[in-house]
Amino acid sequence: MNRPDVARSLGPMFTIEHDFDATVVTLIDDPASHRQEDVTINAFEDCVTIEQEDAQSGRLCKITLSLSQLADLTAALNLPEGVYKRKA
């Protein structure tokens, strides 16, 4: 039995799907009055895209990161404030 109300009470949720040419991760925000739309991350061989629907306009917003930018972001999440250059 699939009970969405039970799933929501378990805390933050996400899904992972493996398509032919990408791994797709969907981040599902907690239900609340300030809730944001779900975020979909598509990991391709040469880039990563991040998509989220704009609730006001209904338009899909999409950001594309190169693998180098993704590596920089990954490193930045664990560093203090400052300016850095990642070694190749």
Side-chain angles (χ1 to χ4, degrees):
M1 178 167 77
N2 186 7
R3 301 230 5 230
D5 55 329
V6 172
R8 285 191 190 123
S9 68
L10 297 176
M13 293 181 57
F14 60 92
T15 65
I16 301 172
E17 301 172 57
H18 298 290
D19 289 344
F20 173 73
D21 62 345
T23 297
V24 180
V25 177
T26 302
L27 308 176
I28 303 164
D29 202 4
D30 293 331
S33 60
H34 60 278
R35 182 179 189 275
Q36 296 294 311
E37 296 299 319
D38 297 345
V39 173
T40 302
I41 303 162
N42 298 285
F44 297 97
E45 185 176 314
D46 60 344
C47 68
V48 172
T49 63
I50 303 167
E51 302 172 341
Q52 185 178 42
E53 183 178 331
D54 181 330
Q56 292 181 344
S57 70
R59 298 177 87 183
L60 185 65
C61 300
K62 182 177 182 178
I63 297 172
T64 301
L65 299 174
S66 69
L67 296 182
S68 179
Q69 288 174 312
L70 183 62
D72 290 346
L73 175 59
T74 301
L77 292 175
N78 296 311
L79 293 170
E81 189 174 326
V83 178
Y84 298 90
K85 183 173 182 176
R86 188 172 44 88
K87 292 182 182 180

